Amino acid sequence: MSTRPRILTGDTPTGRLHIGHWVGSLENRVRLQDTYDCYFLIANMHAFTTRAEKPAEVRRDTLEIVKDWLAVGIDPERSTLVLQTEIPAIAELSWYFAMLVPFNRVMRNPTLKAEIEAKELGDHYSFGFPLYAVGQCADILAFRPELVPVGEDQEAHIEMCREIARRFDHLYCGVASTTADNEYVTRGGVFPVPKALLGRISRLLGTDGVKKMSKSLDNAIFLSDDTATILKKCKKIVTGRQSATDPGKLEGNALFQYARAFMTDTARLAELEGLYTRGEIGDGAVKQEVAGVIDAFLAPVRDRRAQYEGANGDALILEILRAHTVRANTVAEETLRMAKAAMHLDFGPRRLQFD
Ligand code: TRP
């Protein structure tokens, strides 16, 4: 096993990933592969919290998200893909952790609250829905990572995870609750108190120019979009500017947020910003150029994705997932063994078998 410090993060498979995911988290993940032992989790069990009646869709999205990850440069040789439903230790830890956090504390989690509102779940969400927040703590702690690279919207979950780690270590490993977060393990705790690592841009606007980019709002540029689609979507970006000679505003402008996120030619970016604020260039010309930049960024992503498309693609993905499940379980089972021993639940070893 690698001796590099570990990170864990993941996504719920809900459909194709977009450029907001790239700047919010994927970019970080790809970079962190150089220095960390990386675990990337596909939260396919969590997908059932809101789509229990659509198992075929969840399965399709599970394979699709892996294709998107590999396409952007997640390297299956260096990093480990964690298929949540194949890691029994996660479900087991979820139970133990559920006992360490008051029910009312879970329900006060602002990310859960926001989701209930955004998805209009009212008061008819399942019992499993709020449980997923505790489950997410198990996803993370099963791998005892140092860092959890996520978007801003996940910070509340990471905070709860930190509370559970401290509580477990205090209760079952005798770590004083005054201990500094980075010393829980050296003082004998099973779990480190992991830190969230936020992406470069936590809120990429959608092409509607107002809301955060999101598949369900129909304002997203997907990582798998082709050249023509990207151009068409960029042409529709709402900037609110009336005419090409109006002095343009850069702040809160989706078009320039994309330009800043994806233009590597900083001199040209500065030039465009100058022309725009002085009213010397039209939206159309900027949109054309930004579309070109996004397309150039996505071209190699599409190429890499192509090798996983078609009938053979799914088989290839499944093969990778199976091999990685073995690797992931090695770590998660070790964690579970340590946690159960601390809880006086060491009733003998067990071995998972895959065949
Ligand atoms: N809740 C996260 C999302 O919807 C996905 C997720 C599940 C996750 N388990 C995780 C993220 C553990 C980070 C760490 O985006």
Side-chain angles (χ1 to χ4, degrees), residues 8-14 21 29 39 41-44 46 84 111 115 119 132 135-141 148-151 153-154 157-158:
L8 178 129
T9 187
D11 297 310
T12 307
T14 53
H21 292 115
R29 299 181 197 177
Y39 293 80
L41 174 124
I42 307 123
N44 61 333
H46 292 189
Q84 194 180 41
T111 298
E115 240 177 310
K119 294 179 181 155
Y132 101 71
Q136 180 155 347
C137 303
D139 295 338
I140 297 169
L141 294 177
V148 189
V150 284
D153 61 325
Q154 297 293 306
H157 290 329
I158 312 305

Side-chain angles (χ1 to χ4, degrees), residues 36 40 173 201 218 235 319 332-333 337:
Y36 286 87
F40 299 122
C173 313
I201 299 167
D218 198 21
K235 281 191 173 155
E319 205 174 293
E333 283 292 299
R337 212 178 311 120

Side-chain angles (χ1 to χ4, degrees), residues 55-306:
E57 257 184 37
V58 173
R59 185 180 177 98
R60 187 201 58 211
D61 289 347
T62 297
L63 301 188
E64 289 304 309
I65 206 168
V66 176
K67 292 179 193 177
D68 274 335
W69 284 359
L70 299 178
V72 294
I74 300 281
D75 177 1
E77 299 294 324
R78 288 189 291 166
S79 298
T80 302
L81 306 184
V82 181
L83 183 58
Q84 194 180 41
T85 49
E86 294 306 304
I87 315 296
I90 291 177
E92 292 178 57
L93 287 171
S94 301
W95 257 97
Y96 302 128
F97 291 166
M99 260 72 81
L100 300 183
V101 54
F103 181 69
N104 287 327
R105 163 71 181 91
V106 176
M107 298 315 292
R108 275 198 307 272
N109 178 317
T111 298
L112 275 187
K113 282 200 196 161
E115 240 177 310
I116 289 169
E117 202 157 302
K119 294 179 181 155
E120 296 178 2
L121 303 177
D123 58 2
H124 35 263
Y125 47 82
S126 66
F127 180 51
F129 177 73
L131 182 62
Y132 101 71
V134 179
Q136 180 155 347
C137 303
D139 295 338
I140 297 169
L141 294 177
F143 294 87
R144 288 172 285 137
E146 218 165 78
L147 285 181
V148 189
V150 284
E152 207 175 50
D153 61 325
Q154 297 293 306
E155 264 189 305
H157 290 329
I158 312 305
E159 195 44 50
M160 211 166 84
C161 173
R162 291 159 56 80
E163 287 170 27
I164 288 178
R166 289 188 199 104
R167 178 119 179 92
F168 186 101
D169 288 343
H170 175 61
L171 211 55
Y172 300 122
C173 313
V175 180
S177 36
T178 49
T179 301
D181 283 342
N182 57 354
E183 292 195 349
Y184 269 75
V185 171
T186 48
R187 296 282 167 90
V190 169
F191 296 110
V193 181
K195 283 203 284 280
L197 178 73
L198 296 184
R200 170 163 74 116
I201 299 167
S202 57
R203 217 185 111 85
L204 194 75
L205 289 169
T207 53
D208 59 5
V210 184
K211 298 214 165 100
K212 185 176 164 174
M213 186 173 285
S214 153
K215 175 184 156 238
S216 56
L217 295 173
D218 198 21
N219 65 3
I221 297 174
F222 294 104
L223 298 174
S224 47
D225 278 345
D226 60 25
T227 305
T229 309
I230 294 168
L231 184 60
K232 203 172 90 202
K233 288 180 175 175
C234 282
K235 281 191 173 155
K236 282 199 301 210
I237 297 171
V238 180
T239 65
R241 190 170 177 231
Q242 297 303 325
S243 96
T245 52
D246 281 352
K249 226 170 70 334
L250 302 176
E251 287 321 309
N253 182 328
L255 180 57
F256 274 87
Q257 199 190 19
Y258 299 172
R260 287 171 180 175
F262 291 98
M263 279 185 84
T264 45
D265 183 347
T266 50
R268 177 61 185 158
L269 173 62
E271 187 177 15
L272 274 181
E273 290 184 340
L275 291 168
Y276 195 78
T277 45
R278 291 192 303 271
E280 290 167 9
I281 190 169
D283 275 28
V286 181
K287 286 175 179 177
Q288 186 101 25
E289 192 161 338
V290 168
V293 168
I294 294 175
D295 184 52
F297 166 72
L298 289 179
V301 176
R302 284 191 302 257
D303 285 350
R304 245 173 288 150
R305 202 178 203 286

